[in-house]
Amino acid sequence: MPYSRTEASLSASRAGLLDQPRCIIGYRPQNATKFAHKFRLPLFRISRPLLLHTKWEKLTPDQGQASGKEGLSIERGAHQDHSVHDRKTAARAKAGRRSGRLRKRHLLALLLLSVSALLFGALAVSVRYGSLPAASFPQSTQITDAEGRVLASLQGGVNRRTVSLKDISPWLVRATIAAEDRRFYEHAGLDLRGLVRAAWVDVRHLSKEQGASTLTQQLARNLYLSHERTWTRKLKEAWYAAKLEQTFSKDEILEMYLNQIYYGHGAYGAEAASRLYFNKPAKELTLAESAMLAGIPKGPRYYSPHLHPEQAKARQRTVLEAMKETGIITARQAEQAAKAFVPVQPLPKNQGVVAPYFVDYVRKLAAELLGEEESLLSEGGLTITTTLDSRMQQAAEEAVAAKLPKNSELQAALVAIDPATGHIKAMVGGRNYAENQFNRVFATTRQPGSAFKAILYAAALDQRVITPATRFRSEPTIFYYDNDRKIYRPSNFNDRYVHADIGLRQAIRTSDNIYAVNTIMQVGPEKVIGMARRLGLTAHLAPVPSLALGTFPVSPFEMASAYAAFAAGGIRTEPVAILRIADRNGRVLYEARPRKEQAVEPALAYVVTDLLRSVFDTGGTGHRVARMLKRPVAGKSGTTASDAWFVGYTPELATAVWVGYDRGRAIASSETHRAAPIFAEFTEAALASVPPHPFEMPEGVVSVEIDPASGLLAGPGCPADERDKVRETFLAGTEPTQACTVREQPDRPDASGGGQGGASWWSRLRRWWGG
């Protein structure tokens, strides 16, 4: 039996003949001879098929034509035959092992195929004979106060209007398919290519961030599932999608989808959305309107033409480009539609809602917390529990309404925060929500004026640059800064000066600007900005002397939060509006865990508070409302050409009030005093059921009697009248240690700031009367 060519080569290799360079080996001379002759190589031929004694013949090209002629014979010795046999045995063993591994792999592959077939069969049977669950239709979301009273029911003011597919503009149908599911009429509910791509992205990012859902899957999710992003939900969604495809036709699925999808602002379905945005039925939508509407479901809030018109327009162009790529429209149609003006009608006004400015703020926060699933706010049946106190809210609205003049354009804002928890208890963003929905609580264009001085003095006291006994002269002063290259000329309100040295308490009580600028020049503007950041202010603040007078805008919201830290013993708690968000089944989706930090030491917070209480003393900027307050209160007024402020607090409540005009119109002198009465009336009404509590003095504070005229310790006969002594609080270690000397006529300003020597005539009169 002749060898194969492979066997002949193998035998020749074992015989050592392959060591001969450049040779041809074969058992068919007529074939081998051609190659040998062509390449001029020696030729070897197997003369007989024996393994142990194989003879090889070297043939010339002429001899190769006749197989019977013999050339040079080479015979191997018998001693090499055993090694050939061993190598053969080893080769057979190796081939056997390879064959065993292949058999195992084949069995494993067969097993996997069998399991896959069983699973696929089970899925097919489940889809074929299973039933769809009851659809989960949208439920309104309720926003409640801290005690569960409903503040608002979020339905967007628009009713769902179900229409047939023929009553929806073909442009909207085509735009939706192009934007959301180009292969809608090709797949059976699942787009396998998109599914594989989404799975690959998820695996690479180790997260569930890729969607790739078909229209059918989106419909299944809206009808039967939650909006959580998990692979388990994705598998259920795929099953429901397959079942929907088996149960309904493509057009029926499309009709259900276009009546179910959320388009933002409480609008569900194409008909409701068309009437909300364009005030027309869905069947009358143009190509431009349809492209804009079809782009909204991807991000109802982000692509809202009301909230983000630029993003909505960009999304419209993306949809038009998709329609052009799929051949639905031409390039010219896409260009014309992109350039066309699309008028969007105003949103319906929100009527019958308690605390509407606060509700708007909560909706915005909830949308951010829920991410892209903003539709849950209106369709998810959520319960959003807030921090609002309805009784305090009513008190705030009544105080604003009572203290603002009727038939005036004067506006106001009020926000109240619990210092201990950071909970927002009341919020009024304006005098009439129906007329203007702008929430002035968050306005960042208003200068706080002297209300900023509490932060200034906190920084200076913290750095031990000044103490309550530090004295500066109250008179017109020029300040040099920036290496004496610039000058600053501040002035007091109505150019009223004491023309004498005054201490910190009097400077706060009368809101002396010269004292404030002297202080910032001592401590440095950078330290003041640092203190502002510690207290939660994020607004832009420049390191210039005018910073001391509150010349950089800060929102009432941040001012109230900063003052709340003083009320809480120096602990600043991040303001909170939403306590928790729960779904329709009671599962908590979000729960507030506000950050707390010790912004300033308790002793410093107490000293600042004690100084701010003097604002309500005789001659203080808040003395007009002192009689309205029946409890310990600290605060500071602020006045600019167009703004009136009062920011104050008790141990239980910190409140910021702003009064002014929207368009920068100057306020009259009589209007500068309207903020403080709003603060006082609200504070007493809000805390009517809470007994008065004092501000507790912490460790690190000392209280000593001083002579207000010199700022030194009071001593025998100094001041001359014992009743002129003042008890002052200091950070431990900063109190004066030197006693004042006896003066016959103490030179100090009177309490009203009207000039020096105000107490001297009274002392002389009493001495004269007493003989």
Side-chain angles (χ1 to χ4, degrees):
M1 179 176 179
Y3 279 87
S4 68
R5 185 170 300 177
T6 303
E7 291 170 333
S9 300
L10 178 62
S11 299
S13 175
R14 289 173 178 170
L17 294 179
L18 289 186
D19 294 337
Q20 296 289 337
R22 306 171 72 86
C23 62
I24 298 296
I25 301 174
Y27 69 93
R28 294 182 180 175
Q30 62 273 23
N31 296 330
T33 301
K34 294 178 182 179
F35 288 96
H37 179 71
K38 180 176 181 180
F39 296 100
R40 299 181 179 180
L41 298 174
L43 176 66
F44 290 87
R45 177 174 62 82
I46 299 174
S47 60
R48 52 179 176 161
L50 296 177
L51 292 175
L52 299 180
H53 299 280
T54 305
K55 288 186 176 182
W56 300 81
E57 296 177 344
K58 183 176 181 181
L59 307 177
T60 64
D62 294 334
Q63 292 173 326
Q65 302 298 328
S67 60
K69 297 182 179 181
E70 295 182 354
L72 178 62
S73 298
I74 302 175
E75 185 174 346
R76 288 290 180 185
H79 65 277
Q80 293 185 358
D81 295 339
H82 296 289
S83 62
V84 172
H85 179 70
D86 292 342
R87 285 193 292 270
K88 182 69 174 180
T89 303
R92 288 176 178 174
K94 185 176 181 180
R97 289 194 298 270
R98 187 183 302 113
S99 177
R101 287 196 297 269
L102 288 175
R103 283 196 298 271
K104 290 180 180 179
R105 292 176 183 175
H106 291 160
L107 289 174
L108 181 60
L110 182 61
L111 179 61
L112 291 176
L113 287 174
S114 300
V115 172
S116 299
L118 288 174
L119 290 176
F120 182 79
L123 179 62
V125 171
S126 176
V127 172
R128 177 67 179 84
Y129 297 103
S131 60
L132 290 168
S136 176
F137 292 100
Q139 299 178 16
S140 62
T141 289
Q142 289 188 334
I143 297 179
T144 71
D145 67 5
E147 297 181 356
R149 300 185 185 93
V150 177
L151 300 176
S153 182
L154 301 186
Q155 296 176 340
V158 179
N159 294 325
R160 180 191 304 275
R161 303 188 183 187
T162 302
V163 295
S164 62
L165 191 61
K166 64 181 179 60
D167 290 325
I168 299 176
S169 171
W171 288 126
L172 179 58
V173 175
R174 296 167 187 170
T176 300
I177 293 175
E180 298 290 339
D181 189 0
R182 298 186 185 185
R183 301 181 64 248
F184 174 69
Y185 283 103
E186 300 175 21
H187 59 67
L190 300 177
D191 187 353
L192 296 180
R193 285 188 296 183
L195 198 62
V196 171
R197 181 179 65 253
W200 172 243
V201 171
D202 288 347
V203 170
R204 282 197 307 164
H205 293 84
L206 297 177
S207 64
K208 286 79 70 176
E209 61 180 50
Q210 189 72 8
S213 296
T214 65
L215 289 183
T216 313
Q217 287 176 272
Q218 293 180 46
L219 178 62
R221 180 172 66 244
N222 289 335
L223 289 176
Y224 309 119
L225 298 167
S226 68
H227 290 252
E228 61 181 350
R229 292 183 175 183
T230 63
W231 291 317
T232 302
R233 193 269 294 165
K234 201 70 177 176
L235 291 175
K236 292 180 180 179
E237 179 184 291
W239 187 92
Y240 291 137
K243 187 63 182 177
L244 284 170
E245 290 278 347
Q246 183 193 61
T247 307
F248 303 100
S249 68
K250 285 288 187 181
D251 285 349
E252 288 174 332
I253 291 173
L254 192 57
E255 179 180 304
M256 287 189 289
Y257 176 87
L258 289 172
N259 280 297
Q260 188 74 228
I261 198 66
Y262 180 65
Y263 287 94
H265 300 288
Y268 300 93
E271 181 70 12
S274 179
R275 294 183 181 274
L276 173 68
Y277 292 110
F278 309 119
N279 196 28
K280 62 171 62 175
K283 64 182 178 181
E284 297 179 6
L285 290 172
T286 64
L287 172 58
E289 293 167 341
S290 296
M292 181 170 288
L293 205 59
I296 294 176
K298 183 177 179 65
R301 184 175 185 84
Y302 186 77
Y303 295 116
S304 165
H306 292 290
L307 302 179
H308 304 286
E310 293 182 0
Q311 288 93 320
K313 190 66 179 177
R315 177 65 177 160
Q316 179 205 42
R317 289 193 292 268
T318 301
V319 174
L320 290 171
E321 184 66 22
M323 297 177 72
K324 185 185 75 173
E325 291 175 357
T326 54
I328 297 174
I329 59 175
T330 64
R332 181 175 179 80
Q333 287 176 305
E335 182 180 359
Q336 291 176 344
K339 292 181 179 179
F341 173 70
V342 179
V344 179
Q345 73 166 357
L347 290 172
K349 294 180 180 179
N350 200 355
Q351 301 290 343
V353 175
V354 178
Y357 292 102
F358 180 75
V359 168
D360 279 356
Y361 176 57
V362 167
R363 288 192 62 163
K364 178 183 176 182
L365 285 181
E368 294 173 357
L369 293 172
L370 297 174
E372 294 182 1
E373 303 299 342
E374 191 252 345
S375 59
L376 284 176
L377 287 180
S378 295
E379 71 174 2
L382 304 179
T383 299
I384 302 176
T385 304
T386 72
T387 59
L388 194 81
D389 185 308
S390 293
R391 188 176 52 79
M392 290 188 180
Q393 177 66 27
Q394 182 178 356
E397 293 176 356
E398 291 176 352
V400 169
K403 298 304 179 181
L404 291 184
K406 303 295 188 292
N407 303 319
S408 170
E409 295 182 1
L410 196 65
Q411 287 287 352
L414 181 153
V415 58
I417 298 175
D418 184 336
T421 62
H423 293 177
I424 300 173
K425 293 297 184 180
M427 181 183 292
V428 178
R431 64 186 300 166
N432 193 323
Y433 180 85
E435 294 180 358
N436 191 325
Q437 292 82 47
F438 176 63
N439 193 343
R440 296 156 189 83
V441 166
F442 299 99
T444 56
T445 58
R446 300 298 182 174
Q447 298 176 0
S450 293
F452 186 82
K453 290 177 182 176
I455 300 172
L456 162 70
Y457 294 133
L461 292 167
D462 185 49
Q463 296 297 316
R464 273 61 173 176
V465 172
I466 66 170
T467 74
T470 301
R471 301 172 65 77
F472 294 112
R473 193 163 185 83
S474 172
E475 63 183 6
T477 307
I478 296 176
F479 294 91
Y480 295 86
Y481 68 103
D482 193 14
N483 295 324
D484 293 338
R485 290 177 295 185
K486 298 179 181 179
I487 62 174
Y488 179 51
R489 294 187 177 92
S491 62
N492 282 347
F493 184 71
N494 287 338
D495 290 325
R496 288 185 297 187
Y497 302 92
V498 179
H499 294 285
D501 290 342
I502 62 173
L504 178 55
R505 185 174 294 275
Q506 183 176 350
I508 291 176
R509 182 171 67 244
T510 61
S511 197
D512 192 276
N513 290 338
I514 306 303
Y515 194 103
V517 178
N518 269 301
T519 300
I520 199 172
M521 298 298 288
Q522 294 291 323
V523 69
E526 293 80 7
K527 296 295 184 182
V528 177
I529 294 175
M531 176 59 69
R533 300 294 182 237
R534 286 159 60 183
L535 294 172
L537 270 63
T538 61
H540 168 70
L541 304 172
V544 293
S546 64
L547 174 65
L549 308 184
T551 55
F552 293 90
V554 180
S555 71
F557 181 75
E558 289 193 348
M559 289 299 293
S561 177
Y563 272 59
F566 295 132
I571 298 176
R572 180 182 179 272
T573 304
E574 182 182 23
V576 179
I578 298 177
L579 290 176
R580 72 187 64 84
I581 301 177
D583 64 13
R584 68 185 70 185
N585 298 317
R587 183 169 63 95
V588 176
L589 304 178
Y590 165 81
E591 190 165 12
R593 293 181 177 83
R595 294 191 302 272
K596 287 191 174 187
E597 57 183 352
Q598 189 76 46
V600 298
E601 57 181 296
L604 175 60
Y606 179 82
V607 171
V608 171
T609 297
D610 189 64
L611 290 166
L612 293 179
R613 292 189 61 188
S614 63
V615 167
F616 301 98
D617 294 343
T618 301
T621 56
H623 77 279
R624 292 181 181 87
V625 299
R627 65 183 182 277
M628 300 172 61
L629 298 166
K630 311 301 181 184
R631 62 189 66 242
V633 181
K636 187 71 187 74
S637 61
T639 305
T640 71
S642 57
D643 308 280
W645 292 72
F646 198 92
V647 188
Y649 53 91
T650 69
E652 302 83 14
L653 199 63
T655 305
V657 177
W658 167 87
V659 174
Y661 293 95
D662 280 340
R663 291 175 176 81
R665 170 182 162 187
I667 56 176
S669 177
S670 60
E671 295 170 336
T672 61
H673 305 294
R674 294 194 180 276
I678 294 175
F679 166 83
E681 182 168 317
F682 163 72
T683 298
E684 281 301 320
L687 301 176
S689 61
V690 179
H693 293 100
F695 294 100
E696 298 292 339
M697 180 185 292
E699 295 182 359
V701 177
V702 296
S703 179
V704 297
E705 288 185 336
I706 66 170
D707 170 26
S710 64
L712 302 177
L713 289 174
C718 181
D721 191 331
E722 289 291 325
R723 287 174 295 184
D724 289 339
K725 293 180 181 179
V726 175
R727 179 161 291 278
E728 193 62 85
T729 57
F730 296 84
L731 295 174
T734 67
E735 70 274 13
T737 56
Q738 182 180 356
C740 66
T741 58
V742 178
R743 287 179 294 106
E744 187 172 341
Q745 294 185 1
D747 182 17
R748 63 170 178 80
D750 65 4
S752 64
Q756 59 181 341
S760 301
W761 69 267
W762 175 247
S763 299
R764 290 195 298 270
L765 178 62
R766 285 193 295 106
R767 285 197 298 271
W768 172 81
W769 183 260

